[in-house]
Amino acid sequence: MTERREVPFFRPAIGDEEIAEVVDSLRNGWITTGQKTRQFESDFADFIGGGVEALAVNSATAGLHLALEAIGIGPGDEVIVPDYTFTASAEVIRYLGAKPVFADMEFATLNIDPASLPALITPNTKAIMVVHFAGLPVRMTEIMAFARKHNLRVIEDAAHALPAKHDNRMIGALDTDASIFSFYANKTITTGEGGMIVTRDAEIAKRCRVMRLHGIDRDAFDRFNTNSRGWEYDVVAPGYKYNMSDIAGSIGLQQLKKADALHARRTHLASLYDQYLAQAPLVLPAHAAEGQVHSWHLYIIRLNEQALLGRDELMAGLDERRIKCSVHYTPLHRLSYWRDTYNLRNEDFPNAEKSFANCVSLPLFPTMQDDDVRYVADQILNLLSINSSPSA
Ligand SMILES: *Cc1c(COP(=O)(O)O)cnc(C)c1O
């Protein structure tokens, strides 16, 4: 291998449009939550469709917290959550003094296994949180049937799932209580830090709107743009400080306009990986089923039994070749707080154990070039001692 190039794991796709919109906010004198954020919310609701409301917040974690609060989760309640997710999905359950109950994943999809639910339900179970892992929609028809049967609320951690579809409907427009998207730096669209709560339930929207800003009955933009009694407000609950600034909202406004183009690019790059890695001793990512759309937030490969190399050796080899990869994620049962607080044992999560030991997230971002994918795939094949991939 004579070629030496560098492939980062991720690089946000920020263009002149985002920069100009931020500069406009900085110059126009309104930098906290205002018209830019409102425009972003309304464009986002239109993008999802189905008559949803969209509420911008300063992170998806904040949004998940608010959504669980709005559906009334509190001490004594149990919420079923995937074990194979980022810690934010479960920590928000603890914020409210409720108990997370961890479900193992389905090996093929990396998503929560609907078949694991009956064994986890108790008289205290109030809700299920699902995560559309890597952007592949969960089998929501089964989840919703189970939830209806047991009278459970359903919250979607949709941090990876913009844009994605289930049953030909956008994630965000399903019959769940709320879907929460993330605009963290490496998500499919970004505001630096930020998130969006999407719901079709007017009561949930109302509660989240008040609780994201101190429990105040109206926001600063409303107050300062009405009349001389703009200084006046009421506090109806001890709320949080979770509003999105207009600086972040400006970035989001422009990113959203590109969401479909960025998604098309990711989908193309993922199909190149599929093609180049088809012969390797790997489990390639599951594809979306009929009627579904995968957002391709992450492209996760797993070494299979035929691979002569371990996960860590493969990652070290790629790192030496200046290709940056990652692991999504260490399952929660292996992290000390969750393991020790809930006595979680590795053997209770066999699919997560098998996936975690063998998984690598490959570089995937919209400005990545086709020949970057080729290069990454060739290095993987080389490390796994397979001749270079067939020509495209
Ligand atoms: C990124 C992420 C979050 C948290 O998003 P923030 O916007 O950083 O709070 C939650 N859940 C999952 C699955 C994520 O990947």
Side-chain angles (χ1 to χ4, degrees), residues 57-64 84-92 129-134 157-160 180-187 191-196 297-298 328-329:
V57 283
N58 58 11
S59 72
T61 307
L64 290 165
Y84 207 70
T85 183
F86 183 55
T87 193
S89 313
E91 80 193 36
V92 292
M129 186 186 300
V130 298
V131 180
H132 305 291
F133 203 91
D157 176 340
H160 300 179
I180 291 83
F181 296 88
S182 173
F183 311 129
Y184 179 70
N186 73 356
K187 295 299 176 14
T191 59
E193 297 281 357
M196 192 73 81
H297 166 51
L298 298 171
H328 294 89
Y329 299 89

Side-chain angles (χ1 to χ4, degrees), residues 95-140:
Y95 290 1
L96 293 160
K99 179 186 173 191
V101 175
F102 301 92
D104 197 12
M105 60 139 91
E106 193 175 53
F107 187 78
T109 62
L110 307 177
N111 278 331
I112 191 167
D113 185 357
S116 71
L117 298 177
L120 301 177
I121 194 162
T122 78
N124 297 324
T125 311
K126 290 284 156 40
I128 305 172
M129 186 186 300
V130 298
V131 180
H132 305 291
F133 203 91
L136 179 70
V138 168
R139 291 200 270 123
M140 291 306 289

